[in-house]
């Protein structure tokens, strides 16, 4: 899995450079400020793709003396950087828009430029789909964030192309800088969203409600011999999921017997949840929070 994710991150850099070249060429032959904004966002794609590759390699390093729980959160830093770079790109685009609004000019070779930009958008769409799907599968925040950013790039490229076609057909040159402004606003929102999600990961966000229910069911179905489970807590760090809870057993149960229960629960969780880290605190029955007598192992 590590090699697959790193390979995808490497090819993201290659695709980003190709798309950047195509979009820069489209801007150069047309002089369109809207296509300039699209090309500027592709510069961000190159920088963040390089950052994602670095973060993925760091996050897959094994735990060491200074990082005993691993390096899983490194990918969040790349995603935060991506969000910050997107916001910077949006501000640069708005700066160019203000300079162009007062004196919009007709586009040169518009159809050739739009064709080149359209090809770049299709290439981005294909790669974005691959990154989002594989990022979710591998629980890689950096890959998934890169994929979502590319998909945003695709949508803005589609809007820019449609708007510029209208500008060419109608002669409304003011549409060019206005489209660029809309692109800037859109990617500004996306950059803020990516930063927010990544910072949430750095703050030890818990698993989703659906995953929490799945974890509870797995523990309950495989804790035969225990009395109660309470204080279930989860957190996500990159592709790793950390689970901890207290397991109540009979006070007279031997360490070996309670250990067998813990092993059974851990094996079941590891079979269903990839890259899971489990901590179980075993306690005697006088620490139970619920009254005895229930048929299933309850959660408090």
């Amino acid at each position: 899995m590590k090699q697959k994710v790193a390979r995808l991150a490497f090819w993201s850099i290659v695709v980003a450079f190709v798309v950047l070249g195509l979009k820069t060429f489209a801007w150069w032959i047309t002089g369109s400020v809207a296509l300039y904004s699209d090309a500027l966002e592709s510069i961000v794609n190159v920088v963040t793709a390089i950052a994602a590759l670095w973060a993925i390699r760091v996050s897959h390093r094994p735990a060491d003396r200074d990082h005993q729980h691993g390096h899983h959160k490194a990918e969040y830093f790349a995603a935060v950087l991506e969000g910050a770079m997107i916001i910077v790109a949006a501000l640069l685009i708005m700066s160019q828009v203000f300079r162009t609004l007062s004196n919009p000019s007709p586009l040169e070779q518009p159809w050739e430029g739009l064709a080149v930009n359209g090809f770049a958008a299709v290439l981005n769409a294909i790669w974005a789909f691959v990154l989002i799907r594989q990022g979710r599968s591998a629980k890689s925040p950096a890959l998934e964030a890169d994929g979502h950013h590319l998909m945003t790039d695709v949508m803005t490229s589609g809007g820019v192309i449609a708007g510029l076609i209208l500008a060419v057909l109608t002669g409304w040159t003011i549409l060019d800088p206005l489209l660029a402004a809309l692109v800037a606003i859109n990617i500004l929102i996306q950059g803020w969203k990516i930063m927010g999600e990544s910072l949430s990961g750095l703050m030890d966000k818990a698993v989703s409600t659906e995953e929490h229910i799945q974890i509870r069911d797995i523990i309950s179905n495989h804790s035969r011999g225990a009395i109660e489970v309470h204080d279930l807590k989860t957190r996500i760090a990159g592709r790793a999921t950390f689970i901890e809870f207290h397991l109540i057993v009979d006070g007279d149960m031997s360490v070996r017997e309670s250990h067998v229960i813990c092993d059974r629960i851990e094996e079941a969780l590891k079979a269903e949840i990839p890259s899971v880290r489990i901590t179980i605190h075993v306690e005697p029955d006088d620490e139970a929070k619920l009254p005895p007598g229930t048929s299933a192992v309850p959660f408090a």
Side-chain angles (χ1 to χ4, degrees), residues 1 11 13 59 62 65 99 113 123 125 156 178 220 226 261 265 267 269 286 294:
M1 184 62 74
W11 280 107
I13 299 174
S59 70
R65 182 175 180 180
R99 287 196 296 268
L123 181 60
T156 55
L178 290 179
S220 182
I261 299 173
I265 295 172
E267 289 173 4
L269 288 169
D286 57 2
T294 54

Side-chain angles (χ1 to χ4, degrees), residues 188-246:
L188 185 64
I189 294 171
Q190 292 300 318
W192 185 258
K193 182 179 178 181
I194 289 173
M195 285 190 66
E197 291 175 351
S198 302
L199 290 172
S200 179
L202 289 172
M203 294 295 291
D204 289 338
K205 181 180 179 180
V207 301
S208 67
T209 302
E210 293 77 12
E211 289 176 305
H212 186 84
I213 293 173
Q214 178 192 15
I215 291 169
R216 284 174 61 103
D217 288 344
I218 293 172
I219 295 172
S220 182
N221 292 337
H222 294 84
S223 55
R224 183 179 64 260
I227 297 173
E228 175 188 297
V229 176
H230 62 238
D231 292 347
L232 172 62
K233 297 178 182 178
T234 63
R235 65 183 177 93
I236 301 173
R239 67 187 182 282
T241 300
F242 289 81
I243 301 172
E244 62 178 76
F245 58 91
H246 292 201

Side-chain angles (χ1 to χ4, degrees), residues 129-260:
F129 176 76
V130 171
L131 289 181
I132 292 173
R133 186 180 63 179
Q134 296 298 327
R136 286 175 179 169
S137 175
K139 287 199 170 183
S140 171
L143 275 188
E144 189 175 350
D146 204 17
H148 282 298
H149 176 212
L150 289 182
M151 193 57 74
T152 301
D153 193 13
V154 171
M155 291 185 291
T156 55
S157 293
V160 165
I161 291 171
L164 288 179
I165 290 174
L166 180 62
V168 172
L169 294 177
T170 61
W172 298 342
T173 55
I174 192 66
L175 284 177
D176 185 26
L178 290 179
L179 283 169
L182 290 176
V183 170
I185 293 171
N186 183 50
I187 66 175
L188 185 64
I189 294 171
Q190 292 300 318
W192 185 258
K193 182 179 178 181
I194 289 173
M195 285 190 66
E197 291 175 351
S198 302
L199 290 172
S200 179
L202 289 172
M203 294 295 291
D204 289 338
K205 181 180 179 180
V207 301
S208 67
T209 302
E210 293 77 12
E211 289 176 305
H212 186 84
I213 293 173
Q214 178 192 15
I215 291 169
R216 284 174 61 103
D217 288 344
I218 293 172
I219 295 172
S220 182
N221 292 337
H222 294 84
S223 55
R224 183 179 64 260
I227 297 173
E228 175 188 297
V229 176
H230 62 238
D231 292 347
L232 172 62
K233 297 178 182 178
T234 63
R235 65 183 177 93
I236 301 173
R239 67 187 182 282
T241 300
F242 289 81
I243 301 172
E244 62 178 76
F245 58 91
H246 292 201
L247 184 73
I248 303 298
V249 299
D250 190 305
D252 295 327
M253 180 179 286
S254 69
V255 173
R256 186 181 301 277
E257 291 174 311
S258 62
H259 185 67
V260 169

Side-chain angles (χ1 to χ4, degrees), residues 11-194:
W11 280 107
S12 286
I13 299 174
V14 176
V15 172
F17 270 113
V18 172
V19 171
L20 172 61
L22 291 170
K23 290 188 175 183
T24 301
F25 179 66
W27 162 58
W28 180 69
I29 64 176
T30 61
S32 166
V33 68
L35 293 183
Y36 163 81
S37 68
D38 218 8
L40 191 62
E41 188 176 6
S42 290
I43 295 176
V44 177
N45 292 348
V46 171
V47 175
T48 53
I50 294 172
L53 178 59
W54 167 85
I56 287 168
R57 286 181 172 175
V58 172
S59 70
H60 281 84
R61 290 177 184 172
D64 54 35
R65 182 175 180 180
D66 294 327
H67 306 88
Q68 297 179 6
H69 291 284
H71 301 77
H72 311 290
K73 290 188 178 182
E75 293 193 39
Y76 288 120
F77 291 101
V80 170
L81 174 63
E82 181 164 354
M85 289 292 293
I86 291 173
I87 292 172
V88 171
L91 296 177
L92 290 175
I93 293 169
M94 290 303 297
S95 174
Q96 183 67 22
V97 167
F98 289 134
R99 287 196 296 268
T100 309
L101 270 175
S102 58
N103 187 29
S105 56
L107 305 182
E108 301 175 8
Q109 304 182 63
W111 300 117
E112 292 85 348
L114 289 173
V116 172
N117 210 70
F119 177 73
V122 171
L123 181 60
N124 253 352
I126 295 172
W127 192 245
F129 176 76
V130 171
L131 289 181
I132 292 173
R133 186 180 63 179
Q134 296 298 327
R136 286 175 179 169
S137 175
K139 287 199 170 183
S140 171
L143 275 188
E144 189 175 350
D146 204 17
H148 282 298
H149 176 212
L150 289 182
M151 193 57 74
T152 301
D153 193 13
V154 171
M155 291 185 291
T156 55
S157 293
V160 165
I161 291 171
L164 288 179
I165 290 174
L166 180 62
V168 172
L169 294 177
T170 61
W172 298 342
T173 55
I174 192 66
L175 284 177
D176 185 26
L178 290 179
L179 283 169
L182 290 176
V183 170
I185 293 171
N186 183 50
I187 66 175
L188 185 64
I189 294 171
Q190 292 300 318
W192 185 258
K193 182 179 178 181
I194 289 173

